[in-house]
Amino acid sequence: MGIQHHAKAPTSLFWPMATAFGALWGAVEITLGSFLHMLKIPFGGAILASLGAALLIAQRQVLPQRGLSMVTALIAALCKSLSPGGVILGPMIGITMEGLLVELALLVSSRFIGCAILAGMLAAMWTVFHKLLSSFVFYGMTLIELYVAVLQKAGQWLGHEGAGWWMALLFVGIISSIGAIGGIFGWRVGQDAARSLEIPP
Amino acid sequence: MRRQRAFLGVVAVVCLILQFEGDLKLSALSTMLWLLALALTDRPQLRRLWMPRFWMISILFALGSGLLLGKPDWTLGPITLSTFGLKAGALMVFRGVFLFALMGWASKLIVDKDIQQAIQKMGMAKFSNALNTAFGFIPSFAERARAAPLAGRGEGIATRFRRIYLTAVDLVKHAVLLAHSLETPTPFVAAVVGPPGSGKTTLIQNVAKQLRAEGFRLSGIMQPAIHEGGARVGYQLCDVASGEVVNFARRAEHGFVFANEGWAWARSRIIASSAAVAGSVDAVHAGAAHSADAPVAHSVDMLVNNSLAHFVDCLVLDELGRLEAKGEGHLLALTLPPSLAALLVAVRQDCADEISKRIGPFTLRVAAGAPPDEVTRFIEALRSHLRDARLTPAPPPILKEIEK
């Protein structure tokens, strides 16, 4: 426990909310992120992205202001720079992009569950896109050709031409589902938190 | 440092141009050039490239492309590979190594303080302030976030999920309340600063005496020294409101030994004083609940029953030092209600910066042992502020949850 500041009724909570949630997301990325990375849990990136999206969605249930998710993500991304380890630029770009996608999905309505699900799915899907994009940047078009060749070969081994593509689709489906669950989770957590803080709907 | 950064920046641009020519030789040359530049200027970055997993994956990619891309035209034992695929794979590896090393270097740049200065220069002061505050919050959030995956361990799946869910709600609520607390205006802090033995307590006692003589109500604690034969042999604690005095510390062989009862006594007085500022008996109990000390809770009960729900203008805290600089000591019990007109503190000089980060920037500051006219100006400014504060209406009610 430290000094307790008795808060008064706020005038504008935009920046304080972005600060507090940015720090929270940053802390989750540093602690839980390292934990998932260390355990090499499958779909760890998607789980982390959907948690981040859940946090942003919960935040928007409490304060439905446009632009909040984006600013929060920028703060969280810079907080990630405290993370131990060599390369942090990639995760920082990832966090920023996830924030941007959640912001876009919640543009229509912050408190509509459909938008929350879409936000979660987009954030989780970004991890796949991010992987492909960074692979492209790192290794060039050759790697994408290699991925396609692997999918085709997998189809040949399984005795069905399109089997490889179906597997890829299944993979994307799992990632989207993780994101959707994160979206629903964030929406419910945010609604409950807002209710217990007696914030009007 | 800046020259080194500029040099590496130029080399990075040249290497990037060479890298994206798409030629294997140029790509290899560019990678070697970058690694050489790092070896000359920033060896720790070069050491970070020792990542077996990354190298394994790169070699697998290269072999994979030799196997799967292009027409097989080269036999290696039982395997037939394509030279086109192998060349493409080698290009991939060179580019990967170069970009990986480049990203490591760029990541290090981002951690630099310069980025925050750049944000300030761009006129994004709010963002920069928010970022600084967020950095301060991370340790407490990290503690809470670490507990989240362990919530409900060893229980049934439904109970476990329920506990994780409640932990998540709690985390979100905590963040919201923290955001609300950031909106609180910083208190008016009048600080007497000086090294140990410079006369801080004497000066603060004089200031308190003058203010009290003019009808201002003061509360809090002072920590006068006990002298024997000209030497400082201990400390007492004095309740500013009631004048009650207790012994706090005695000199021992290796410094002062502080009594635990003294800490508890001081905390109970600080909690009660803060609550007296808020004018709320509930807040006194809330303050007591923050303390794990049973004697503190007991003393607070006694104080509430006895009197303290009266108006206080100024809270006094003496001898804020190394413990308080870490957020410990007397600060563990301090609450800063919005209705607090001023906080009068005596602060050790070497801890002043850290303490001002915790209680708010010093609005007024005077050095212990300063010339009399400076001290007079300090007292006059504090007096004038307290007079103005009495004319200001009370702030609006706070959120119910924060009260709880």
Side-chain angles (χ1 to χ4, degrees):
Chain A
M1 199 189 91
I3 301 171
Q4 306 291 308
H5 287 267
H6 290 241
K8 66 172 188 174
T11 46
S12 163
L13 275 177
F14 184 90
W15 282 100
M17 284 285 274
T19 303
F21 277 83
L24 176 57
W25 191 6
V28 168
E29 283 281 341
I30 293 168
T31 56
L32 214 62
S34 316
F35 180 72
L36 290 175
H37 183 75
M38 210 169 59
L39 292 184
K40 307 255 183 300
I41 290 175
F43 303 109
I47 293 171
L48 208 59
S50 90
L51 274 178
L55 205 66
L56 293 181
I57 293 160
Q59 178 197 36
R60 291 286 282 267
Q61 305 312 303
V62 180
L63 189 72
Q65 274 196 26
R66 281 185 184 161
L68 187 58
S69 308
M70 192 61 237
V71 176
T72 305
L74 281 173
I75 290 174
L78 285 166
C79 284
K80 178 75 182 168
S81 67
L82 286 184
S83 190
V87 178
I88 48 166
L89 201 62
M92 285 172 75
I93 294 169
I95 292 171
T96 312
M97 284 310 296
E98 280 156 30
L100 177 68
L101 290 169
V102 171
E103 184 65 55
L104 288 174
L106 298 183
L107 267 183
V108 183
S109 164
S110 297
R111 287 175 171 171
F112 174 52
I113 191 165
C115 291
I117 294 172
L118 179 67
M121 284 169 76
L122 284 176
M125 281 304 298
W126 169 258
T127 55
V128 180
F129 189 70
H130 183 91
K131 190 94 189 158
L132 285 175
L133 193 72
S134 56
S135 301
F136 176 70
V137 172
F138 268 62
Y139 302 110
M141 198 57 200
T142 318
L143 190 75
I144 307 296
E145 285 168 13
L146 189 63
Y147 282 149
V148 174
V150 167
L151 282 177
Q152 283 168 348
K153 266 274 188 279
Q156 281 170 16
W157 284 334
L158 290 168
H160 190 280
E161 194 81 345
W165 293 104
W166 281 111
M167 274 167 63
L169 205 64
L170 178 71
F171 176 75
V172 169
I174 293 171
I175 301 273
S176 309
S177 308
I178 293 172
I181 291 168
I184 298 168
F185 185 76
W187 182 81
R188 277 213 57 183
V189 165
Q191 294 266 326
D192 271 3
R195 210 173 294 128
S196 74
L197 290 166
E198 299 187 2
I199 291 165
Chain B
M1 192 72 186
R2 288 200 172 174
R3 266 190 195 172
Q4 190 193 74
R5 226 183 285 168
F7 167 72
L8 281 174
V10 172
V11 177
V13 173
V14 173
C15 290
L16 266 172
I17 294 168
L18 291 177
Q19 200 61 248
F20 286 93
E21 281 291 311
D23 183 77
L24 179 61
K25 281 176 195 158
L26 284 179
S27 177
L29 179 73
S30 144
T31 306
M32 294 306 164
L33 188 63
W34 180 245
L35 295 182
L36 183 70
L38 281 184
L40 289 174
T41 56
D42 198 350
R43 279 210 187 151
Q45 280 298 321
L46 202 61
R47 278 198 284 272
R48 282 186 172 178
L49 280 179
W50 176 243
M51 295 183 80
R53 194 166 154 243
F54 171 77
W55 289 101
M56 283 285 284
I57 291 173
S58 296
I59 292 166
L60 278 177
F61 276 160
L63 285 175
S65 65
L67 271 171
L68 294 166
L69 300 178
K71 260 190 183 168
D73 52 4
W74 188 56
T75 313
L76 184 73
I79 311 164
T80 318
L81 299 161
S82 98
T83 42
F84 169 78
L86 278 177
K87 273 185 184 171
L91 184 69
M92 245 176 11
V93 172
F94 279 123
R95 190 183 286 184
V97 171
F98 166 70
L99 284 170
F100 194 74
L102 185 70
M103 295 265 277
W105 176 69
S107 298
K108 198 182 142 200
L109 280 188
I110 285 168
V111 187
D112 269 13
K113 278 187 178 168
D114 289 5
I115 194 155
Q116 286 195 27
Q117 282 169 4
I119 292 169
Q120 289 269 26
K121 274 184 193 162
M122 284 190 300
M124 293 167 73
K126 276 191 174 178
F127 184 78
S128 181
N129 291 342
L131 189 62
N132 276 330
T133 317
F135 278 142
F137 285 163
I138 284 183
S140 83
F141 273 130
E143 277 300 308
R144 283 166 180 258
R146 228 173 260 142
L150 304 172
R153 210 177 185 187
E155 294 178 31
I157 188 92
T159 319
R160 191 164 184 190
F161 183 77
R162 179 82 195 141
R163 278 189 192 274
I164 289 173
Y165 179 79
L166 291 176
T167 311
V169 174
D170 189 48
L171 267 174
V172 169
K173 274 164 66 180
H174 182 67
V176 175
L177 295 175
L178 213 52
H180 276 267
S181 76
L182 287 178
E183 276 295 288
T184 312
T186 49
F188 185 97
V189 183
V192 176
V193 181
S198 59
K200 296 187 293 291
T201 303
T202 312
L203 180 53
I204 220 170
Q205 278 172 331
N206 286 340
V207 176
K209 197 174 162 191
Q210 289 195 37
L211 293 175
R212 214 182 279 124
E214 289 177 38
F216 292 112
R217 287 177 188 160
L218 276 71
S219 187
I221 51 159
M222 288 205 205
Q223 197 175 310
I226 307 167
H227 291 97
E228 270 174 26
R232 185 180 300 186
V233 293
Y235 285 101
Q236 286 181 317
L237 282 169
C238 172
D239 186 324
V240 175
S242 66
E244 190 185 346
V245 175
V246 294
N247 284 329
F248 187 31
R250 295 293 304 176
R251 185 180 279 285
E253 212 174 317
H254 303 293
F256 289 100
V257 177
F258 291 84
N260 283 338
E261 300 79 25
W263 284 115
W265 187 90
R267 280 178 199 158
S268 71
R269 260 56 184 180
I270 296 167
I271 291 167
S273 300
S274 308
V277 175
S280 146
V281 173
D282 284 347
V284 180
H285 286 292
H290 282 305
S291 168
D293 262 327
V296 173
H298 177 66
S299 325
V300 170
D301 274 342
M302 278 174 52
L303 287 164
V304 171
N305 293 336
N306 284 335
S307 68
L308 260 173
H310 65 262
F311 186 80
V312 168
D313 295 291
C314 182
L315 200 62
V316 183
L317 281 182
D318 190 10
E319 210 57 47
L320 301 184
R322 282 188 189 147
L323 278 178
E324 285 75 17
K326 290 188 280 181
E328 296 167 13
H330 296 322
L331 290 196
L332 282 171
L334 182 63
T335 62
L336 295 173
S339 51
L340 173 66
L343 186 63
L344 175 61
V345 290
V347 181
R348 261 181 68 158
Q349 199 160 10
D350 52 341
C351 305
D353 288 346
E354 279 307 309
I355 289 172
S356 76
K357 276 182 201 160
R358 294 186 182 275
I359 60 177
F362 301 156
T363 326
L364 295 175
R365 181 178 175 137
V366 71
D373 57 325
E374 260 186 52
V375 176
T376 312
R377 275 204 300 273
F378 174 82
I379 299 174
E380 186 44 51
L382 178 57
R383 185 189 289 136
S384 137
H385 171 76
L386 289 175
R387 231 179 269 137
D388 292 347
R390 279 200 166 181
L391 303 172
T392 314
I398 59 178
L399 275 175
K400 276 188 179 179
E401 184 72 18
I402 296 167
E403 272 278 70
K404 278 180 207 164

